[in-house]
Amino acid sequence: ENQAAYRQIGINDMQEGKYEDAVDAFQKALGQSVSSIGERELDICYYKAQAQYLAGDTKGALETYTALIDYDKKNADAYYLRGSLYLLEDEDEKAVKDYENAVKYDDQNYDLYIQAYCDLKDAGLSKEAEPYLEKAVALKGKDARDYTMRGKVYVLMGDYEKATEQLDQAIELGSQQAVLYRA
């Protein structure tokens, strides 16, 4: 009960821009767990890391994401988020390594490939970004979402012919999102 209350206080503080207060509330929420870590505690850690970053405590946020990774070495979300912070801190090698781990542990996630590509490209790391698109178009799914996402990736690659083929297939399978991308 107390844990849920502190969690909600932290969320409310974040919405009000009181990031340091939010970090304190999330820490109190974590202090309520009785030596067990479950989904709720992991959720609170993600909120805590976000509040730490927004409060200007990037080092603390990196430590929180590292703790999440230490708890679950295959946590793609934590690798991606920590990598994003490393990228913002100009620690490019660490960012690239974390992005590689993120897609390693969530290798069927088109959105992750696309976001990693966009983040790296925006940071001026085009060479490191390109393989993410190549890996995304190599995914083998055959439903409307797969065709839609591959079409989107081909657009990012500048291969409009292949993008059209993928998006047309997605449209045939009923994807409304593909209609938007096709336009």
Side-chain angles (χ1 to χ4, degrees):
E1 231 174 76
N2 287 340
Q3 186 180 54
Y6 282 124
R7 178 184 174 276
Q8 190 57 53
I9 290 168
I11 291 170
N12 293 346
D13 285 342
M14 282 182 66
Q15 290 172 342
E16 294 175 14
K18 300 178 190 174
Y19 304 120
E20 291 177 8
D21 292 344
V23 171
D24 290 339
F26 294 132
Q27 190 58 49
K28 287 177 183 174
L30 290 169
Q32 298 297 311
S33 61
V34 186
S35 72
S36 66
I37 298 175
E39 290 301 314
R40 181 178 283 180
E41 287 78 17
L42 296 175
D43 176 68
I44 292 167
C45 284
Y46 282 110
Y47 275 116
K48 178 184 172 187
Q50 182 181 14
Q52 288 171 309
Y53 172 71
L54 293 171
D57 183 11
T58 304
K59 181 181 177 190
L62 287 167
E63 289 172 1
T64 300
Y65 288 129
T66 299
L68 285 163
I69 292 166
D70 289 344
Y71 175 74
D72 176 5
K73 298 286 188 205
K74 296 181 179 182
N75 187 335
D77 292 333
Y79 278 113
Y80 171 76
L81 293 167
R82 188 177 73 175
S84 296
L85 288 184
Y86 281 140
L87 202 57
L88 292 172
E89 294 295 303
D90 294 322
E91 295 191 48
D92 297 346
E93 285 183 35
K94 290 180 180 179
V96 168
K97 183 174 178 167
D98 273 358
Y99 282 178
E100 288 171 358
N101 280 321
V103 298
K104 175 181 174 182
Y105 297 121
D106 192 3
D107 65 353
Q108 299 298 305
N109 186 338
Y110 290 99
D111 293 317
L112 183 57
Y113 285 110
I114 291 169
Q115 196 59 53
Y117 165 80
C118 290
D119 291 353
L120 292 167
K121 187 167 173 64
D122 289 347
L125 301 170
S126 295
K127 178 183 163 204
E128 291 83 352
E130 295 300 325
Y132 291 96
L133 295 183
E134 294 165 11
K135 291 175 184 176
V137 296
L139 298 178
K140 301 291 184 209
K142 297 289 184 191
D143 67 14
R145 176 163 167 46
D146 292 309
Y147 286 109
T148 300
M149 296 308 291
R150 279 194 300 269
K152 181 178 180 179
V153 172
Y154 278 121
V155 168
L156 290 171
M157 295 173 88
D159 189 337
Y160 301 114
E161 185 176 320
K162 287 183 181 175
T164 299
E165 291 171 10
Q166 295 292 311
L167 293 171
D168 286 347
Q169 184 65 37
I171 292 166
E172 284 181 33
L173 294 171
S175 172
Q176 294 300 311
Q177 188 177 26
V179 173
L180 177 64
Y181 292 145
R182 183 73 166 85

